[in-house]
Amino acid sequence: MATFSLHQSSLFSSTTLQTRPRSRLAISTKVRMSLQETGPSIAVVGVTGAVGQEFLSVLSDRDFPYRSIKMLASKRSAGRRLTFQENEYVIEELTADSFNGVDIALFSAGGSISREFGPIAVDKGTIVVDNSSAFRMDEKVPLVIPEVNPEAMGDIKLGNGKGALIANPNCSTIICLVAATPLHRRATVKRMVVSTYQAASGAGAAAMEELEQQTREVLEGRPPTCKIFSQQYAFNLFSHNASVQSNGYNEEEMKMVKETRKIWNDPDVKVTATCIRVPVMRAHAESVNLQFEKPLDEDTARDILKSAPGIVVIDDRTANHFPTPLEVSNKDDVAVGRIRRDLSQEGNQGLDIFVCGDQIRKGAALNAIQIAEMLL
Amino acid sequence: MATFSLHQSSLFSSTTLQTRPRSRLAISTKVRMSLQETGPSIAVVGVTGAVGQEFLSVLSDRDFPYRSIKMLASKRSAGRRLTFQENEYVIEELTADSFNGVDIALFSAGGSISREFGPIAVDKGTIVVDNSSAFRMDEKVPLVIPEVNPEAMGDIKLGNGKGALIANPNCSTIICLVAATPLHRRATVKRMVVSTYQAASGAGAAAMEELEQQTREVLEGRPPTCKIFSQQYAFNLFSHNASVQSNGYNEEEMKMVKETRKIWNDPDVKVTATCIRVPVMRAHAESVNLQFEKPLDEDTARDILKSAPGIVVIDDRTANHFPTPLEVSNKDDVAVGRIRRDLSQEGNQGLDIFVCGDQIRKGAALNAIQIAEMLL
């Protein structure tokens, strides 16, 4: 039997700061009907990947209703078995026929798989929630963070037999905008300077394993094995591995620039980003400097954030307790702290904030499943 | 015999990216006279600390001339022996009498030691180069980065029997300003937004050991031992541990704000900083967004940086090779890369850059010894 436990039960979620019990894929604590009879028929594309595993975990945690579920992956993984909510499934190879009768497909198998199979699924009447970057900037495809721009879903709905594509934004964009949007609504962000501290998980399960392996090697005085990344990751950090464009920005940074404009429906908002990979396992952090059109003092900002959906404010100056990647790992909420008036701007025209969010969860799987929930 | 090799010869400088051979304290490769007869009489205060060790290493690497050298530390370390440049020294307890006949004292033993013994040394005619924050903002004390504001030294010189205090800036400030100043001279920085990625070394040798120990513990599935920091550091990051002021900035961030104004002799320059501790051993990284008064295109900026002192430009977009903490560890130069026009500003009014520098070396010991060299 295939096991999918490494990144959910291993050392990085067994720390003292890991307080929220996780549902386990293989040992569900819930008593369920062996086959549910209501809800849509769903498919998970890329089920063996880090996000694919998290799709299953989030579906279970949120009691997402489904009539049936297909586990889809590449030919290499086909035939392996997987226990989910006390039922055993055989992983099937993704083919053009995979979407017959499927209402909702959650894709996380890379851009080329999405480009090939996304349109096929849509033709069969499936609503595709796609975690890749393939369709994000397509004008016809909504790019949705449920807390931010649910209206972008338009008239996409289940039950009318019409397929559709919905894009999940880039993880860094989601985590940044969950925090920045409530402030944007009040004071209108005109410029945003973001520096990221991105976890291994954004490069997939193999990158997480590489970080762990390299760390062991370095501690043992051995040279680190570099397969996913071209340079040492353990006890180091480096500019994001996405390719660099002619304007000097890498693709990850340009996603933040472009996706923010689309999600906020504001082609004029100014964004610059510097995206850095740090030796952290599964949650991103972001240092965000905001310039507003209208004044917004830090106490009002804190109150706005405290009552905003999907956010937990961790901002204890006395205890020096602010968001950390470890503390948000396996959590749904984006944590916001270090909320303060930017001394480099006049009056209350600017704020600095520090944001952390689980890259695999809110940065990918959870956001996609929240989109799917909006269809129910 | 005391050994001072941990952070200089251990796993973190034995990696594949560590290319520059280090001089070792105990096994000098240089043949020297057993006692030099020229040069000033010097003292190292805090010789057992991470920066104290680096003082010795840099003195040796740069063939700093000295007539005699005193190794000073707390009572706890007094009596331990230390081999430096093939001579054996007994570490002496720091007392008011330690500075009799000492021309230059390099201090790195914390602010309270500097506040107590700095003025005593000055009274005895010693020129103190102080690595603590004790005197940095004192109007009468020059705050010097030799590449940036050598003129601030004024008429302080050796040989006239007059003692003086010279302050070494904060490590994050040094590393940032070595990179930003050549651009500032050309185009005048009006606002700077900095996010740091700071190494363990800034919190001392014990913090480096804690990061290493915690990492081993977490990899073995054990709870991490938190002594220096209040939370898990291994595979995590957190807001800098300096205390947070009522304006929401921590002291590390305010050092960057205030020291930049003093060093640039520009009380109006706007600076905001977010300082974050990352699980890296001994070199800081900084993401720096610059807004200029005058236009400065990125090619000109790159050329300026390439010819600036103390800087190496690492900016290979095709190979995705940019500065990393590991690559600058044990190096003198500050590395600058990711040099690009800031898309969030009009025309050529802004740049984003990414900077790395060895915190112990250029961020502390090297800068102090460069100051001392200006006295010779």
Side-chain angles (χ1 to χ4, degrees), chain B residues 287-341:
Chain B
S287 168
V288 182
N289 179 269
L290 298 162
Q291 292 178 253
F292 299 111
E293 282 183 11
K294 292 169 249 176
L296 178 62
D297 67 84
E298 66 180 35
D299 291 335
T300 306
R302 196 174 291 105
D303 288 343
I304 289 169
L305 291 166
K306 279 181 180 168
S307 62
I311 290 176
V312 57
V313 171
I314 303 177
D315 202 32
D316 185 342
R317 293 177 180 178
T318 309
N320 209 325
H321 181 209
F322 302 107
T324 68
L326 201 61
E327 209 162 341
V328 300
S329 290
N330 299 304
K331 303 286 174 60
D332 289 351
D333 286 340
V334 168
V336 188
R338 299 303 319 276
I339 303 159
R340 61 202 191 279
R341 185 178 87 75

Side-chain angles (χ1 to χ4, degrees), chain B residues 16 207 215 325:
Chain B
T16 51
T215 306

Side-chain angles (χ1 to χ4, degrees), chain A residues 8 29 31 44 125 180 192 196 206 227-228 234 249 251 263 288 306-307 315 319 342 346 353 359:
Chain A
Q8 286 160 358
T29 55
V31 178
V44 174
M192 185 158 67
T196 70
K227 283 190 274 187
I228 304 293
Y249 283 73
E251 285 174 3
I263 292 165
V288 182
K306 279 181 179 167
S307 62
D315 202 32
D342 172 4
E346 301 298 327
I353 60 175
Q359 185 275 329

Side-chain angles (χ1 to χ4, degrees), chain B residues 66-295:
Chain B
Y66 57 89
R67 191 169 67 247
S68 65
I69 183 165
K70 270 190 188 181
M71 308 296 183
L72 301 171
S74 67
K75 191 171 186 174
R76 192 164 42 88
S77 298
R80 291 165 67 189
R81 285 161 196 279
L82 164 64
T83 301
F84 174 61
Q85 294 187 320
E86 298 181 351
N87 293 306
E88 193 171 88
Y89 296 87
V90 177
I91 296 174
E92 300 173 42
E93 182 186 355
L94 173 65
T95 70
D97 293 330
S98 297
F99 302 98
N100 295 333
V102 170
D103 300 313
I104 300 173
L106 304 167
F107 271 63
S108 189
S112 59
I113 294 293
S114 293
R115 271 185 294 272
E116 182 179 355
F117 290 95
I120 291 170
V122 171
D123 281 346
K124 302 217 171 184
T126 304
I127 297 178
V128 172
V129 185
D130 180 28
N131 191 49
S132 84
S133 63
F135 302 104
R136 284 181 194 151
M137 296 313 297
D138 185 325
E139 279 182 17
K140 297 183 296 297
V141 175
L143 183 65
V144 179
I145 306 171
E147 294 90 342
V148 172
N149 63 336
E151 71 283 357
M153 297 276 282
D155 58 358
I156 298 173
K157 59 184 173 194
L158 277 180
N160 61 7
K162 285 171 67 177
L165 279 165
I166 306 167
N168 212 33
N170 177 48
C171 49
S172 303
T173 312
I174 294 174
I175 291 163
C176 181
L177 294 193
V178 165
T181 300
L183 307 175
H184 176 57
R185 285 190 188 124
R186 176 70 68 101
T188 310
V189 171
K190 61 179 183 184
R191 180 168 179 255
M192 185 158 67
V193 178
V194 185
S195 296
T196 70
Y197 304 69
Q198 294 186 229
S201 58
M208 297 166 81
E209 286 160 23
E210 180 155 310
L211 174 57
E212 184 176 334
Q213 181 185 353
Q214 280 196 9
T215 306
R216 290 184 195 280
E217 290 165 340
V218 170
L219 287 172
E220 290 163 10
R222 291 186 286 141
T225 304
C226 297
K227 283 191 273 189
I228 304 294
F229 301 116
S230 60
Q231 56 194 316
Q232 181 175 330
Y233 192 10
F235 301 103
N236 197 20
L237 55 85
F238 46 79
S239 186
H240 194 283
N241 47 299
S243 52
V244 181
Q245 303 185 169
S246 58
N247 66 359
Y249 283 74
N250 62 44
E251 285 173 3
E252 182 81 0
E253 292 158 354
M254 288 311 297
K255 287 174 186 171
M256 296 198 76
V257 173
K258 292 176 182 173
E259 294 178 18
T260 298
R261 290 179 188 151
K262 178 168 176 174
I263 293 165
W264 280 357
N265 192 25
D266 178 358
D268 297 323
V269 65
K270 309 291 188 198
V271 179
T272 186
T274 299
C275 290
I276 304 296
R277 194 73 82 182
V278 295
V280 162
M281 209 43 77
R282 62 169 285 157
H284 287 354
E286 303 183 29
S287 168
V288 182
N289 179 269
L290 298 162
Q291 292 178 253
F292 299 111
E293 282 183 11
K294 292 169 249 176

